């Protein structure tokens, strides 16, 4: 619906939130009985993270959660997406709970509750207990079983305070960046381990869904990173068509199809598919059990064009689909964020429309969307992140248009509430709507926080000019 001033309205009851993840914000890496995670190990090994940064202190959210909850309330947010650190709750990934870890999450949930902020809790945002990694991690089936036990413990202890559960964050990134390419923990460069992790992550999701339901949890679903695949230029239509299908299978289908249809995608290359020996009878039924919602993280599409991988031109990269005569490409006409990621809000609209067609009736949440930019505090003590304001504005407009066009979008979470530990980039990339001075831990809401707060309070996005 459009207001008289031309603003696009969101439906009543639309959920407005901000997102973070445990390893990226909590710090307190060894406090109160927390066990080591694969990200502790990985970030402490030289050469893995820019500038040798680690999550040891991060935003110190472990101690500053009350201040952060009050800040979210002042921005008018009604939801907060954060993740639980598995080894805070089960230090070695199995066995009895660490009561102090649960106490922290109860206190955080209560602080949110006092401000009327509903909790969306991710069970796994990449910080596997190191002891489970030592036994094979996601490349082995047992980790999926351990994950379901942890999900049950978490839901029993915290379920009365949680509005919405997300089993996994972006299993594609875990398998690809962590196991195939090695620039995330656990740092493996092993195709077989990546394909196995793909399956065991999804199995863990399915088993955790059942455990959450058995514990009487509220809504439950999963978050995927999803990337519309676009073909640009002309020439070589057959190759490009195949390349699009294969790329879509690799970046989206290997997760989306088992979840929604109970099968692995026909176009996925063999070296990306979990070997059939790993896929036991009944696994795909477990994985495809109904979701209450699907969380989509959207940053940018993947573009393909005809080209020669052995003779790459400007803005071209080898294509992961490995179809001869095709390259991945970053159109020079699109803006880029400080990550080098392309800015394409129409991709968010298209993604939401495609999902609504693939899973009619399934509520969707944008569980992450945002950008890194070169933020700094100006002499007036302010952070004028005009790029991020424009980014959020155009993407919120795209989301509103998708709703108008029939997408069942129920909520939006900006990534991120705070500048934080951006994985292999350490603290060099700032994604927050709130600036964090990592020396003092001072929080400074940026111009984008004010812009976002205005959208949230009006439940509408002003016209783009
Ligand atoms: C996503 C991650 C999130 C953050 C953003 C920028 O892939 O889920 O933790 O790093 O990217």
């Amino acid at each position: 619906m459009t207001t008289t001033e031309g603003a696009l309205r969101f439906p009543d009851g639309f959920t407005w939130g901000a997102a973070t993840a445990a390893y990226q914000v909590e710090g307190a890496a060894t406090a109160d009985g927390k066990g080591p995670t694969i990200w502790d190990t990985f970030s402490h090994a030289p050469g893995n993270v820019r500038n040798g940064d680690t999550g040891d202190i991060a935003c110190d959210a472990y101690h500053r959660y009350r201040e952060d909850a009050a800040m979210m309330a002042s921005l008018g947010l009604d939801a907060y997406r954060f993740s639980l650190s598995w080894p805070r709750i089960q230090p070695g990934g199995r066995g009895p709970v660490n009561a102090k870890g649960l106490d922290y999450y109860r206190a955080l949930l209560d602080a949110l509750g006092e401000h009327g902020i509903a909790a969306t809790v991710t069970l796994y945002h990449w910080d596997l207990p190191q002891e489970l990694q030592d036994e094979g991690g996601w490349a082995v089936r047992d980790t999926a079983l351990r994950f379901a036990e942890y999900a049950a413990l978490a839901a029993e202890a915290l379920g009365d305070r949680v509005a919405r559960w997300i089993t996994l964050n972006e299993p594609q990134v875990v398998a690809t960046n962590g196991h195939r390419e090695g620039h995330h923990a656990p740092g493996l460069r092993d195709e077989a381990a990546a394909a196995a992790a793909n399956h065991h992550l999804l199995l863990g999701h399915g088993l955790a869904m059942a455990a959450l339901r058995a514990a009487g949890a509220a809504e439950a679903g999963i978050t995927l990173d999803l990337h519309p695949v676009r073909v640009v230029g002309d020439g070589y239509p057959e190759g490009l068509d195949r390349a699009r299908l294969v790329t879509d299978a690799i970046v989206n289908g290997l997760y989306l199809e088992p979840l929604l249809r109970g099968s692995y995608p026909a176009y996925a290359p063999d070296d990306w598919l979990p070997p059939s020996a790993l896929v036991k009878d009944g696994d795909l039924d477990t994985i495809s059990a109904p979701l209450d919602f699907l969380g989509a993280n959207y940053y940018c599409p993947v573009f393909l064009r005809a080209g020669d991988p052995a003779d790459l031109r400007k803005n071209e990269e080898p294509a992961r689909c490995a179809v001869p005569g095709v390259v991945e490409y970053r159109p020079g006409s699109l803006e880029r964020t400080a990550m080098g990621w392309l800015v394409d809000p129409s991709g968010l609209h298209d993604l939401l429309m495609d999902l609504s067609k693939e899973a009619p009736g399934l509520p969707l949440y944008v569980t992450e969307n945002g950008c890194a930019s070169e933020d700094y505090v100006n002499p007036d003590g302010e952070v004028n992140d005009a790029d991020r304001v424009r980014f959020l504005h155009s993407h919120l407009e795209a989301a509103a248009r998708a709703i108008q066009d029939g997408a069942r979008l129920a909520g939006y979470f900006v990534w991120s509430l705070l500048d934080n530990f951006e994985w292999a980039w350490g603290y060099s990339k700032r994604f927050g709507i709130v600036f964090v001075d990592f020396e003092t831990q001072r929080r400074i809401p940026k111009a984008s926080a004010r812009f976002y707060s205005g959208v949230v309070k009006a439940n509408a996005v002003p016209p783009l000019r």
Side-chain angles (χ1 to χ4, degrees):
M1 200 184 25
T2 311
T3 65
T4 41
E5 299 81 41
L8 288 168
R9 289 211 142 279
F10 285 81
D12 290 345
F14 192 78
T15 292
W16 289 109
T20 63
Y23 191 74
Q24 295 180 277
V25 300
E26 282 180 358
T30 55
D32 295 334
K34 174 182 163 288
T37 81
I38 56 173
W39 269 97
D40 291 309
T41 309
F42 186 78
S43 66
H44 278 266
N48 285 335
V49 176
R50 273 282 169 106
N51 198 33
D53 291 343
T54 73
D56 287 1
I57 300 173
C59 308
D60 196 29
Y62 191 74
H63 299 110
R64 290 167 195 267
Y65 60 92
R66 283 193 201 83
E67 181 192 338
D68 291 340
M71 190 173 57
M72 282 187 263
S74 74
L75 295 175
L77 304 188
D78 51 49
Y80 180 40
R81 174 182 176 228
F82 64 95
S83 77
L84 307 181
S85 163
W86 182 351
R88 253 188 226 296
I89 295 179
Q90 284 184 300
R94 53 159 54 87
V97 295
N98 170 34
K100 288 192 170 166
L102 284 175
D103 287 347
Y104 165 64
Y105 291 114
R106 278 198 199 96
L108 165 59
L109 288 161
D110 287 346
L112 295 170
E114 280 163 27
H115 291 288
I117 298 172
T120 291
V121 172
T122 311
L123 284 165
Y124 186 73
H125 202 127
W126 305 355
D127 42 1
L128 190 74
Q130 181 61 45
E131 277 185 38
L132 293 186
Q133 187 61 44
D134 297 342
E135 293 162 24
W138 290 109
V140 301
R141 190 176 176 92
D142 189 57
T143 299
L145 311 184
R146 300 286 75 75
F147 181 61
E149 283 175 12
Y150 152 63
L153 292 176
E156 275 154 26
L158 307 173
D160 57 338
R161 294 162 164 92
V162 173
R164 194 170 297 117
W165 292 91
I166 293 172
T167 54
L168 303 176
N169 179 68
E170 301 189 348
Q172 190 273 135
V173 173
V174 176
T176 306
N177 298 31
H179 293 76
R180 180 176 283 264
E181 294 171 354
H183 49 262
H184 278 187
L188 302 181
R189 290 191 171 78
D190 179 341
E191 276 174 8
N198 185 337
H199 185 64
H200 297 139
L201 282 155
L202 289 173
L203 180 64
H205 153 80
L207 296 171
M209 284 291 287
L212 290 168
R213 297 219 188 279
E219 289 176 47
I222 186 170
T223 279
L224 303 180
D225 59 304
L226 294 167
H227 313 264
V229 181
R230 305 194 189 286
V231 170
V232 289
D234 40 35
Y236 194 40
E238 278 155 51
L240 281 169
D241 201 39
R242 180 167 174 77
R244 186 179 53 75
L245 293 166
V246 175
T247 306
D248 184 49
I250 290 173
V251 297
N252 303 311
L254 279 167
Y255 301 86
L256 209 46
E257 292 194 29
L259 288 164
L260 297 182
R261 299 192 202 146
S263 56
Y264 280 104
Y267 283 97
D270 284 347
D271 56 341
W272 289 78
L273 273 174
S276 49
L278 289 185
V279 184
K280 310 277 187 224
D281 280 355
D283 281 5
L284 285 160
D285 293 334
T286 304
I287 291 168
S288 60
L291 301 165
D292 295 326
F293 64 89
L294 177 65
N297 291 353
Y298 174 72
Y299 291 97
C300 55
V302 177
F303 291 85
L304 302 169
R305 75 173 183 184
D308 180 357
D311 181 19
L312 293 171
R313 304 290 148 106
K314 190 173 172 209
N315 295 337
E316 291 183 350
E317 285 165 38
R320 61 202 108 180
C321 64
V323 172
V326 175
V327 292
E328 289 188 21
Y329 171 64
R330 297 186 193 207
S333 56
L334 292 179
E335 247 182 84
R336 296 180 189 202
T337 71
M339 296 291 279
W341 298 351
L342 297 166
V343 178
D344 186 356
S346 71
L348 179 57
H349 176 272
D350 295 358
L351 171 63
L352 294 171
M353 297 315 294
D354 288 352
L355 289 174
S356 300
K357 261 179 235 132
E358 270 199 49
L362 182 64
L364 305 174
Y365 287 85
V366 173
T367 40
E368 288 180 26
N369 175 237
C371 68
S373 71
E374 308 285 351
D375 302 324
Y376 59 93
V377 183
N378 70 19
D380 299 328
E382 292 178 345
V383 183
N384 283 323
D385 54 341
D387 301 354
R388 185 173 292 101
V389 171
R390 260 188 300 126
F391 183 99
L392 294 179
H393 198 167
S394 58
H395 285 75
L396 288 167
E397 203 245 16
R401 292 214 180 280
I403 295 172
Q404 279 189 337
D405 294 343
R408 218 168 141 198
L409 183 65
Y412 175 95
F413 293 80
V414 66
W415 183 271
S416 175
L417 176 68
L418 301 168
D419 292 338
N420 60 47
F421 176 83
E422 178 47 34
W423 309 114
W425 295 91
Y427 299 100
S428 69
K429 301 291 176 198
R430 293 181 176 272
F431 272 91
I433 57 170
V434 173
F435 186 91
V436 177
D437 177 338
F438 291 103
E439 297 294 313
T440 62
Q441 293 297 342
R442 185 160 165 234
R443 274 80 163 133
I444 305 173
K446 304 178 191 177
S448 58
R450 288 188 285 282
F451 168 76
Y452 188 54
S453 178
V455 171
V456 169
K457 289 175 181 164
N459 200 33
V461 61
L464 267 178
R465 296 189 203 284

